[in-house]
Amino acid sequence: MFGKGLVKGLVITWKEFWTPKVTIQYPEEQPPVPERFHGRLSIEVDKCIACGMCVNACPNKVIELKKQKVGKKQFLTDYVQNVQYCLFCGLCVEACPKDALHFTAIFNMNQYFYDNLPVVLVQREAPAEPVEKEEPAAKAGSGDKVKPKPKAKVDKSVPAAASEVAAGKAPDKEGQ
Amino acid sequence: MLKTQEYNLNLGPQHPSTHGVFRILLTLDGERVVKAEPIPGYLHRGVEKLAEARTYTQFIPYTDRLDYLAAMLQNWGYVMAVEKLMGIEVPERAEYMRVICGELSRLASHLIAIGTYSMDTGGVTGFELALRERETTMDLLEELTGSRMTLSYARIGGVAADAPEGWLDKVDKFMDKMPAYIDEYDGLIAGNEIFQARTMQVGVIKPETAISYSLSGPNLRGSGVNYDLRKAKPYSVYDRIDFDVPLGTNGDCYDRFYCRLQEMRQIVRILKQAVAQIKEVDGPVIGKVPKVLKPPKGEAYEEIESSKGIIGYYVVSDGSAKPYRIHVRRGSFINLGYLDELLRGVLLADVIAILGSLDIILGEVDC
């Protein structure tokens, strides 16, 4: 029959018109993200023992970790995720012995300037004396909010003491 | 008679129909191809060399980047080679999870293959239809692994995590719907007369040629050679799963395409069985693996049937925590070996149809 194809096509169009739309009006609407989603990292500073296992597990030297010895314990001072080299493989999260490192659902980590790309998760100064009960690190960005302008460079005000161990130094972008 | 002059035409790189960053230097006489020189290398990252600076586990995410459309199959091949080297046993449940994730990856890859092939031959609707189902497949993979494309799901000794609650049922439900979708592609793409005219009796590869050029995957089976590693050398739990190997008859572009389409039907069968069987298997998804992997001195080669062909990993260990050498036998790269001879004498428009039918992925070609 002449025009049969046209009718068939219109039937499909008509059906499709009434089906629920799949388009999401991003960024007003956020897409649904599964629980295991590999987004930005987040670290629970209270749990972290600054062992550097995540740094060793990373295939691309993404994580920059700095710690200082306070009393007998290691104190995490800086934790930076160089997101531009991150493969989001999850080996760091798996390596964490204290379950302090997690993935968040945040996938929007774009920055206008290249220098702002690294996500600073922790940047704080070590206390002079060991405290009995750790204060709930106020400066730690362990929440789910992205910092407006995270800085790549670590705080220079922290004195480069001999005890400071630059375990997470990422000297080479190629990871060689 | 009108005299024509031979001239060179660079097809690609960056052209959508070259499926990535691939260039063919065509020498044309009018519209006929006289000579075709494939020039890969625009995506070369030195993955094999990068492996030497990393530990065995750290190399897993890099294998994803070889075939980013079916990342799990690459992971799987690599971890199997390391497991063979170290003599690690993989728990049964992990094997099933590998099969399920691997077959979903294969489905995602084949969907792109048939979708882009439809677009290469002039039908955009086929591409959009294929992407619709691929979206669901990727949603499932994302729920399982946390990533959509570069899954990094396999681990030496098992897989990264068990299936989340209700996930297996979701796969099962999706597989119930899938045959109807495949029928749709069959009718719309394979049943299209223009498509048939552009692909039938075009780019014929004879079975003996396919074997002598070491072609593998649907490109080999499209020529009618019954060789599928899942049947020929059953690995993992494929020996417990009942499925057929679709074969072509003429070895032309249409057969290679149709092989992939039929393979998708087999994927549905495999997944349905695997999901049913895994429910009876309990236990961990990762075996007993030392924290620091130091395989003994030696070498191992393990190959699996990837969506593009046979992917093999040759791992050499010097006893340290880092591999001494890794070589990847990439199906896509070897499938390109016959391209020059295949393209000689065909029309320029057929070059696209033939290249598309080989379903190469440049991540794997360049490595």
Side-chain angles (χ1 to χ4, degrees):
Chain A
M1 192 191 87
F2 183 71
K4 195 175 147 192
L6 179 70
V7 175
K8 261 166 110 178
L10 284 174
V11 168
I12 293 171
T13 312
W14 185 251
K15 272 188 197 164
E16 207 58 46
F17 184 76
W18 295 105
T19 49
K21 304 292 169 285
V22 289
T23 309
I24 292 167
Q25 298 298 331
Y26 183 83
E28 285 79 22
E29 266 182 83
Q30 290 289 321
V33 170
E35 209 177 303
R36 287 182 186 175
F37 185 74
H38 289 192
R40 203 198 78 180
L41 287 176
S42 93
I43 185 163
E44 290 178 55
V45 275
D46 296 338
K47 280 189 185 175
C48 180
I49 53 167
C51 62
M53 294 276 267
C54 46
V55 179
N56 292 336
C58 182
N60 234 7
K61 297 193 176 170
V62 168
I63 299 166
E64 235 170 279
L65 181 146
K66 282 190 179 175
K67 55 191 174 181
Q68 237 173 308
K69 209 159 192 185
V70 178
K72 283 181 179 176
K73 285 185 178 176
Q74 297 279 11
F75 189 88
L76 178 72
T77 55
D78 292 272
Y79 199 94
V80 182
Q81 180 193 8
N82 286 305
V83 90
Q84 65 271 39
Y85 311 128
C86 191
L87 301 168
F88 296 96
C89 59
L91 291 174
C92 52
V93 175
E94 269 177 45
C96 186
K98 293 286 171 185
D99 201 21
L101 198 60
H102 303 285
F103 277 120
T104 61
I106 301 163
F107 54 83
N108 187 358
M109 289 163 276
N110 49 2
Q111 292 290 337
Y112 195 82
F113 294 105
Y114 188 81
D115 283 353
N116 295 337
L117 261 176
V119 181
V120 180
L121 296 166
V122 178
Q123 193 174 44
R124 58 180 184 174
E125 280 185 34
E129 290 291 315
V131 275
E132 273 303 302
K133 214 179 174 187
E134 290 273 279
E135 54 183 325
K139 282 184 179 178
S142 59
D144 277 359
K145 271 190 171 178
V146 188
K147 283 191 171 182
K149 264 197 173 182
K151 272 193 167 182
K153 279 160 193 158
V154 289
D155 198 356
K156 288 279 190 306
S157 65
V158 181
S163 61
E164 190 177 311
V165 184
K169 214 177 173 191
D172 195 339
K173 291 176 179 80
E174 282 299 312
Q176 294 288 332
Chain B
M1 200 174 154
L2 198 66
K3 250 192 162 184
T4 54
Q5 199 179 1
E6 281 184 11
Y7 65 103
N8 288 337
L9 179 80
N10 284 293
L11 187 78
Q14 317 291 7
H15 190 276
S17 70
T18 54
H19 292 224
V21 271
F22 183 60
R23 179 158 72 102
I24 315 174
L25 181 57
L26 294 167
T27 308
L28 296 170
D29 179 11
E31 268 198 82
R32 292 266 169 207
V33 177
V34 179
K35 199 180 140 209
E37 190 189 341
I39 305 166
Y42 292 93
L43 196 60
H44 178 65
R45 298 148 294 174
V47 170
E48 288 170 350
K49 191 74 189 164
L50 284 171
E52 293 166 21
R54 275 153 190 85
T55 63
Y56 285 90
T57 312
Q58 283 177 348
F59 185 58
I60 295 172
Y62 287 89
T63 59
D64 284 332
R65 272 82 188 163
L66 293 178
D67 182 356
Y68 33 81
L69 297 179
M72 178 60 195
L73 297 165
Q74 300 283 331
N75 284 180
W76 195 356
Y78 170 65
V79 295
M80 265 174 73
V82 180
E83 279 158 11
K84 189 180 179 185
L85 193 63
M86 294 188 72
I88 295 171
E89 268 193 39
V90 183
E92 208 180 348
R93 195 172 168 85
E95 289 284 19
Y96 275 107
M97 283 312 296
R98 283 180 183 184
V99 168
I100 293 171
C101 189
E103 291 301 322
L104 276 174
S105 284
R106 195 190 307 275
L107 180 66
S109 170
H110 279 354
L111 280 167
I112 279 282
I114 64 157
T116 49
Y117 194 50
S118 162
M119 199 166 67
D120 287 345
T121 49
V124 181
T125 318
F127 181 60
E128 285 168 2
L129 277 187
L131 281 190
R132 184 186 61 186
E133 270 69 72
R134 187 178 149 82
E135 189 68 18
T136 320
T137 316
M138 277 163 63
D139 282 346
L140 285 169
L141 289 171
E142 190 186 16
E143 213 180 317
L144 176 70
T145 66
S147 308
R148 292 175 74 80
M149 283 178 87
T150 48
L151 310 172
S152 298
Y153 182 58
R155 292 284 180 277
I156 296 158
V159 290
D162 206 346
E165 220 183 309
W167 185 81
L168 291 168
D169 295 322
K170 275 188 195 172
V171 175
D172 201 45
K173 264 188 195 168
F174 178 51
M175 285 306 120
D176 286 336
K177 291 182 197 161
M178 202 59 209
Y181 296 136
I182 300 169
D183 287 342
E184 210 171 335
Y185 312 135
D186 208 339
L188 186 101
I189 309 169
N192 188 317
E193 276 181 37
I194 301 169
F195 178 81
Q196 288 176 2
R198 286 208 55 188
T199 55
M200 279 180 171
Q201 296 303 325
V202 173
V204 178
I205 306 175
K206 287 179 185 155
E208 52 271 25
T209 321
I211 294 169
S212 60
Y213 273 88
S214 285
L215 301 194
S216 53
N219 296 334
L220 175 70
R221 294 192 287 273
S223 297
V225 183
N226 189 354
Y227 190 73
D228 188 319
L229 276 183
R230 292 173 294 174
K231 285 273 187 196
K233 274 203 289 181
Y235 53 92
S236 194
V237 287
Y238 278 112
D239 49 348
R240 298 179 208 170
I241 294 168
D242 180 38
F243 66 99
D244 297 324
V245 180
L247 298 175
T249 44
N250 303 321
D252 54 14
C253 291
Y254 182 83
D255 275 0
R256 288 193 282 278
F257 166 84
Y258 207 67
C259 245
R260 287 190 187 95
L261 199 72
Q262 295 293 77
E263 240 174 57
M264 277 162 57
R265 292 186 199 277
Q266 300 305 322
I267 290 168
V268 174
R269 274 180 76 187
I270 295 170
L271 278 173
K272 288 286 275 181
Q273 290 173 57
V275 167
Q277 286 177 22
I278 195 177
K279 284 179 180 169
E280 289 158 22
V281 181
D282 229 358
V285 287
I286 192 146
K288 280 179 189 168
V289 184
K291 276 210 165 177
V292 180
L293 293 169
K294 276 191 179 175
K297 270 187 189 180
E299 54 195 49
Y301 176 75
E302 201 63 69
E303 53 187 8
I304 68 162
E305 187 70 40
S306 168
S307 58
K308 313 280 189 300
I310 293 170
I311 178 95
Y313 281 87
Y314 179 61
V315 183
V316 183
S317 162
D318 59 354
S320 70
K322 290 173 181 178
Y324 178 75
R325 175 86 171 91
I326 283 183
H327 175 68
V328 192
R329 188 254 187 233
R330 298 100 71 196
S332 292
F333 179 68
I334 290 161
N335 288 349
L336 273 182
Y338 187 49
L339 192 71
D340 180 24
E341 283 179 52
L342 193 58
L343 291 184
R344 283 184 191 191
V346 303
L347 289 168
L348 178 59
D350 293 338
V351 172
I352 307 287
I354 292 169
L355 187 66
S357 76
L358 292 175
D359 185 29
I360 53 162
I361 184 147
L362 266 294
E364 208 179 85
V365 172
D366 289 350
C367 191

